[in-house]
Short mmCIF file of all heavy atoms in Angstrom, two decimals:
data_model
loop_
_atom_site.label_atom_id
_atom_site.label_comp_id
_atom_site.label_asym_id
_atom_site.label_seq_id
_atom_site.Cartn_x
_atom_site.Cartn_y
_atom_site.Cartn_z
N GLU A 1 4.12 7.87 4.85
CA GLU A 1 2.72 8.30 4.91
C GLU A 1 1.82 7.18 5.41
O GLU A 1 0.81 7.42 6.07
CB GLU A 1 2.26 8.73 3.51
CG GLU A 1 2.97 9.94 2.96
CD GLU A 1 2.49 11.24 3.56
OE1 GLU A 1 1.45 11.22 4.22
OE2 GLU A 1 3.15 12.26 3.36
N ALA A 2 2.17 5.94 5.10
CA ALA A 2 1.41 4.77 5.54
C ALA A 2 2.35 3.58 5.54
O ALA A 2 3.30 3.51 4.76
CB ALA A 2 0.22 4.51 4.63
N MET A 3 2.07 2.61 6.41
CA MET A 3 2.88 1.41 6.46
C MET A 3 2.76 0.64 5.14
O MET A 3 1.67 0.55 4.57
CB MET A 3 2.43 0.51 7.61
CG MET A 3 2.78 1.02 8.99
SD MET A 3 4.56 0.91 9.30
CE MET A 3 4.64 1.63 10.95
N PRO A 4 3.86 0.08 4.65
CA PRO A 4 3.75 -0.75 3.44
C PRO A 4 2.97 -2.01 3.75
O PRO A 4 3.20 -2.65 4.78
CB PRO A 4 5.21 -1.06 3.11
CG PRO A 4 5.93 -0.98 4.42
CD PRO A 4 5.22 0.09 5.20
N VAL A 5 2.04 -2.35 2.88
CA VAL A 5 1.25 -3.56 3.09
C VAL A 5 1.29 -4.41 1.84
O VAL A 5 1.47 -3.91 0.73
CB VAL A 5 -0.22 -3.23 3.46
CG1 VAL A 5 -0.29 -2.52 4.81
CG2 VAL A 5 -0.89 -2.39 2.38
N ASN A 6 1.14 -5.72 2.03
CA ASN A 6 1.09 -6.62 0.89
C ASN A 6 -0.35 -6.81 0.44
O ASN A 6 -1.25 -6.10 0.90
CB ASN A 6 1.76 -7.96 1.24
CG ASN A 6 1.08 -8.66 2.42
OD1 ASN A 6 -0.03 -8.29 2.83
ND2 ASN A 6 1.72 -9.66 2.97
N SER A 7 -0.58 -7.75 -0.44
CA SER A 7 -1.92 -7.96 -0.99
C SER A 7 -2.91 -8.44 0.07
O SER A 7 -4.11 -8.40 -0.14
CB SER A 7 -1.88 -8.98 -2.13
OG SER A 7 -1.34 -10.21 -1.67
N GLN A 8 -2.40 -8.88 1.22
CA GLN A 8 -3.29 -9.30 2.31
C GLN A 8 -3.51 -8.19 3.31
O GLN A 8 -4.13 -8.38 4.36
CB GLN A 8 -2.69 -10.51 3.03
CG GLN A 8 -2.52 -11.72 2.13
CD GLN A 8 -1.07 -12.14 2.04
OE1 GLN A 8 -0.37 -12.14 3.04
NE2 GLN A 8 -0.63 -12.52 0.88
N GLY A 9 -2.95 -6.98 3.03
CA GLY A 9 -3.11 -5.87 3.95
C GLY A 9 -2.20 -5.95 5.15
O GLY A 9 -2.45 -5.28 6.15
N LYS A 10 -1.14 -6.75 5.08
CA LYS A 10 -0.23 -6.92 6.21
C LYS A 10 1.11 -6.23 5.94
O LYS A 10 1.58 -6.20 4.81
CB LYS A 10 0.03 -8.41 6.46
CG LYS A 10 -1.22 -9.23 6.82
CD LYS A 10 -1.73 -8.86 8.19
CE LYS A 10 -2.86 -9.77 8.64
NZ LYS A 10 -2.42 -11.15 8.91
N SER A 11 1.71 -5.70 7.01
CA SER A 11 3.06 -5.15 6.93
C SER A 11 4.03 -6.25 7.34
O SER A 11 4.13 -6.57 8.53
CB SER A 11 3.21 -3.94 7.86
OG SER A 11 2.39 -2.87 7.45
N THR A 12 4.71 -6.84 6.40
CA THR A 12 5.60 -7.94 6.70
C THR A 12 6.96 -7.42 7.17
O THR A 12 7.37 -6.31 6.83
CB THR A 12 5.82 -8.84 5.48
OG1 THR A 12 6.56 -8.12 4.50
CG2 THR A 12 4.49 -9.30 4.90
N GLU A 13 7.65 -8.25 7.95
CA GLU A 13 8.97 -7.85 8.42
C GLU A 13 9.93 -7.69 7.25
O GLU A 13 10.81 -6.82 7.27
CB GLU A 13 9.51 -8.87 9.43
CG GLU A 13 10.81 -8.44 10.07
CD GLU A 13 11.09 -9.13 11.37
OE1 GLU A 13 10.21 -9.13 12.27
OE2 GLU A 13 12.19 -9.69 11.50
N ALA A 14 9.78 -8.51 6.22
CA ALA A 14 10.65 -8.39 5.05
C ALA A 14 10.47 -7.03 4.38
O ALA A 14 11.45 -6.39 3.98
CB ALA A 14 10.36 -9.51 4.07
N ALA A 15 9.21 -6.59 4.24
CA ALA A 15 8.96 -5.29 3.59
C ALA A 15 9.49 -4.14 4.44
O ALA A 15 10.02 -3.16 3.92
CB ALA A 15 7.47 -5.12 3.34
N LEU A 16 9.35 -4.26 5.76
CA LEU A 16 9.85 -3.21 6.64
C LEU A 16 11.37 -3.17 6.63
O LEU A 16 11.98 -2.10 6.61
CB LEU A 16 9.32 -3.43 8.07
CG LEU A 16 7.80 -3.33 8.23
CD1 LEU A 16 7.38 -3.75 9.63
CD2 LEU A 16 7.31 -1.92 7.94
N THR A 17 12.00 -4.34 6.65
CA THR A 17 13.47 -4.39 6.61
C THR A 17 14.00 -3.80 5.32
O THR A 17 15.05 -3.14 5.30
CB THR A 17 13.94 -5.85 6.78
OG1 THR A 17 13.46 -6.36 8.03
CG2 THR A 17 15.46 -5.94 6.75
N ALA A 18 13.28 -4.03 4.22
CA ALA A 18 13.73 -3.52 2.92
C ALA A 18 13.80 -1.99 2.89
O ALA A 18 14.54 -1.41 2.10
CB ALA A 18 12.79 -4.01 1.82
N LEU A 19 13.06 -1.33 3.79
CA LEU A 19 13.10 0.13 3.84
C LEU A 19 14.47 0.65 4.25
O LEU A 19 14.79 1.82 4.03
CB LEU A 19 12.04 0.65 4.83
CG LEU A 19 10.58 0.36 4.48
CD1 LEU A 19 9.68 0.76 5.63
CD2 LEU A 19 10.18 1.08 3.21
N PHE A 20 15.27 -0.22 4.86
CA PHE A 20 16.59 0.20 5.34
C PHE A 20 17.72 -0.28 4.43
O PHE A 20 18.89 -0.14 4.77
CB PHE A 20 16.80 -0.30 6.78
CG PHE A 20 15.83 0.30 7.75
CD1 PHE A 20 14.61 -0.32 8.01
CD2 PHE A 20 16.11 1.50 8.38
CE1 PHE A 20 13.70 0.24 8.89
CE2 PHE A 20 15.20 2.08 9.26
CZ PHE A 20 13.99 1.45 9.52
N ASP A 21 17.38 -0.85 3.30
CA ASP A 21 18.38 -1.23 2.32
C ASP A 21 19.08 0.03 1.83
O ASP A 21 18.44 0.97 1.38
CB ASP A 21 17.69 -1.94 1.14
CG ASP A 21 18.67 -2.52 0.14
OD1 ASP A 21 19.79 -1.97 0.01
OD2 ASP A 21 18.32 -3.51 -0.52
N PRO A 22 20.40 0.08 1.94
CA PRO A 22 21.11 1.31 1.53
C PRO A 22 20.92 1.64 0.05
O PRO A 22 21.17 2.76 -0.37
CB PRO A 22 22.58 0.99 1.84
CG PRO A 22 22.65 -0.49 1.92
CD PRO A 22 21.33 -0.95 2.44
N LYS A 23 20.48 0.67 -0.74
CA LYS A 23 20.26 0.93 -2.15
C LYS A 23 18.89 1.55 -2.42
O LYS A 23 18.61 1.98 -3.54
CB LYS A 23 20.39 -0.37 -2.94
CG LYS A 23 21.79 -0.97 -2.89
CD LYS A 23 21.86 -2.26 -3.70
CE LYS A 23 23.25 -2.86 -3.67
NZ LYS A 23 23.33 -4.12 -4.44
N ARG A 24 18.03 1.57 -1.43
CA ARG A 24 16.68 2.11 -1.61
C ARG A 24 16.64 3.55 -1.13
O ARG A 24 17.01 3.85 -0.01
CB ARG A 24 15.69 1.27 -0.80
CG ARG A 24 14.25 1.74 -0.88
CD ARG A 24 13.40 0.96 0.10
NE ARG A 24 12.00 1.30 0.00
CZ ARG A 24 11.45 2.34 0.59
NH1 ARG A 24 12.20 3.16 1.31
NH2 ARG A 24 10.17 2.59 0.46
N PRO A 25 16.16 4.49 -1.95
CA PRO A 25 16.19 5.89 -1.54
C PRO A 25 15.05 6.21 -0.56
O PRO A 25 13.93 5.73 -0.72
CB PRO A 25 15.96 6.63 -2.87
CG PRO A 25 15.12 5.69 -3.68
CD PRO A 25 15.60 4.31 -3.30
N PRO A 26 15.33 7.02 0.47
CA PRO A 26 14.23 7.50 1.32
C PRO A 26 13.30 8.40 0.50
O PRO A 26 13.76 9.18 -0.33
CB PRO A 26 14.95 8.30 2.41
CG PRO A 26 16.40 7.90 2.33
CD PRO A 26 16.63 7.52 0.90
N PHE A 27 12.00 8.28 0.74
CA PHE A 27 11.06 9.11 -0.01
C PHE A 27 9.83 9.40 0.83
O PHE A 27 9.57 8.76 1.85
CB PHE A 27 10.65 8.42 -1.31
CG PHE A 27 9.73 7.25 -1.12
CD1 PHE A 27 8.35 7.41 -1.13
CD2 PHE A 27 10.24 5.98 -0.93
CE1 PHE A 27 7.50 6.32 -0.95
CE2 PHE A 27 9.41 4.89 -0.74
CZ PHE A 27 8.04 5.06 -0.74
N ARG A 28 9.06 10.39 0.38
CA ARG A 28 7.79 10.73 1.00
C ARG A 28 6.76 10.96 -0.08
O ARG A 28 7.07 11.52 -1.14
CB ARG A 28 7.95 12.02 1.80
CG ARG A 28 7.20 11.99 3.12
CD ARG A 28 7.26 13.34 3.79
NE ARG A 28 5.93 13.79 4.09
CZ ARG A 28 5.61 15.00 4.47
NH1 ARG A 28 6.51 15.91 4.56
NH2 ARG A 28 4.38 15.30 4.75
N VAL A 29 5.53 10.50 0.15
CA VAL A 29 4.47 10.69 -0.84
C VAL A 29 3.90 12.09 -0.70
O VAL A 29 3.49 12.51 0.38
CB VAL A 29 3.34 9.64 -0.63
CG1 VAL A 29 2.22 9.89 -1.65
CG2 VAL A 29 3.88 8.24 -0.77
N ARG A 30 3.89 12.81 -1.81
CA ARG A 30 3.27 14.14 -1.82
C ARG A 30 1.85 14.09 -2.36
O ARG A 30 0.94 14.71 -1.83
CB ARG A 30 4.11 15.09 -2.68
CG ARG A 30 5.42 15.53 -2.04
CD ARG A 30 6.15 16.50 -2.96
NE ARG A 30 7.35 17.03 -2.35
CZ ARG A 30 8.23 17.79 -2.99
NH1 ARG A 30 8.03 18.09 -4.27
NH2 ARG A 30 9.30 18.24 -2.37
N GLU A 31 1.66 13.38 -3.46
CA GLU A 31 0.34 13.24 -4.07
C GLU A 31 0.20 11.82 -4.58
O GLU A 31 1.18 11.19 -4.97
CB GLU A 31 0.15 14.22 -5.25
CG GLU A 31 0.28 15.68 -4.89
CD GLU A 31 0.22 16.57 -6.12
OE1 GLU A 31 -0.29 16.10 -7.17
OE2 GLU A 31 0.69 17.71 -6.06
N ARG A 32 -1.06 11.31 -4.57
CA ARG A 32 -1.26 9.95 -5.05
C ARG A 32 -2.65 9.84 -5.67
O ARG A 32 -3.62 10.37 -5.17
CB ARG A 32 -1.13 8.96 -3.90
CG ARG A 32 -1.23 7.52 -4.35
CD ARG A 32 -1.18 6.51 -3.23
NE ARG A 32 -0.90 7.00 -1.92
CZ ARG A 32 0.04 6.51 -1.12
NH1 ARG A 32 0.81 5.55 -1.55
NH2 ARG A 32 0.21 6.98 0.09
N SER A 33 -2.72 9.15 -6.81
CA SER A 33 -4.00 8.82 -7.45
C SER A 33 -3.81 7.46 -8.10
O SER A 33 -2.70 6.91 -8.11
CB SER A 33 -4.36 9.88 -8.50
OG SER A 33 -3.53 9.77 -9.63
N PRO A 34 -4.87 6.86 -8.66
CA PRO A 34 -4.72 5.53 -9.25
C PRO A 34 -3.69 5.45 -10.38
O PRO A 34 -3.09 4.40 -10.58
CB PRO A 34 -6.12 5.21 -9.77
CG PRO A 34 -7.03 6.00 -8.89
CD PRO A 34 -6.29 7.26 -8.59
N GLU A 35 -3.48 6.57 -11.11
CA GLU A 35 -2.56 6.52 -12.25
C GLU A 35 -1.32 7.38 -12.06
O GLU A 35 -0.45 7.42 -12.94
CB GLU A 35 -3.27 6.97 -13.54
CG GLU A 35 -4.41 6.08 -13.99
CD GLU A 35 -5.71 6.44 -13.31
OE1 GLU A 35 -5.84 7.60 -12.84
OE2 GLU A 35 -6.59 5.56 -13.22
N ARG A 36 -1.20 8.08 -10.94
CA ARG A 36 -0.08 9.01 -10.78
C ARG A 36 0.31 9.13 -9.31
O ARG A 36 -0.56 9.14 -8.42
CB ARG A 36 -0.46 10.39 -11.31
CG ARG A 36 0.60 11.48 -11.13
CD ARG A 36 0.09 12.80 -11.69
NE ARG A 36 1.03 13.89 -11.49
CZ ARG A 36 1.07 14.65 -10.40
NH1 ARG A 36 0.21 14.43 -9.40
NH2 ARG A 36 1.96 15.64 -10.30
#
C-alpha cells in the first residue's frame, strides 16, 4: 500500500530487501488506524 519508511521518512535498501526474506509473509493492508 505504501513504501516502508524509517523514522526519517526514507525507504532504506535494508528494509526493502527484508520484504523478500522467505521467513516474512506477504501481506496487504486492508484497514489502518492509530490503534488497529
Side-chain angles (χ1 to χ4, degrees):
E1 296 283 347
M3 288 289 179
V5 295
N6 60 14
S7 58
Q8 299 120 41
K10 298 291 187 69
S11 296
T12 68
E13 186 159 307
L16 296 172
T17 301
L19 297 172
F20 297 90
D21 187 331
K23 296 180 180 179
R24 179 188 184 278
F27 72 91
R28 220 186 126 192
V29 178
R30 287 182 175 173
E31 300 175 19
R32 184 183 353 232
S33 72
E35 296 85 23
R36 177 181 177 272

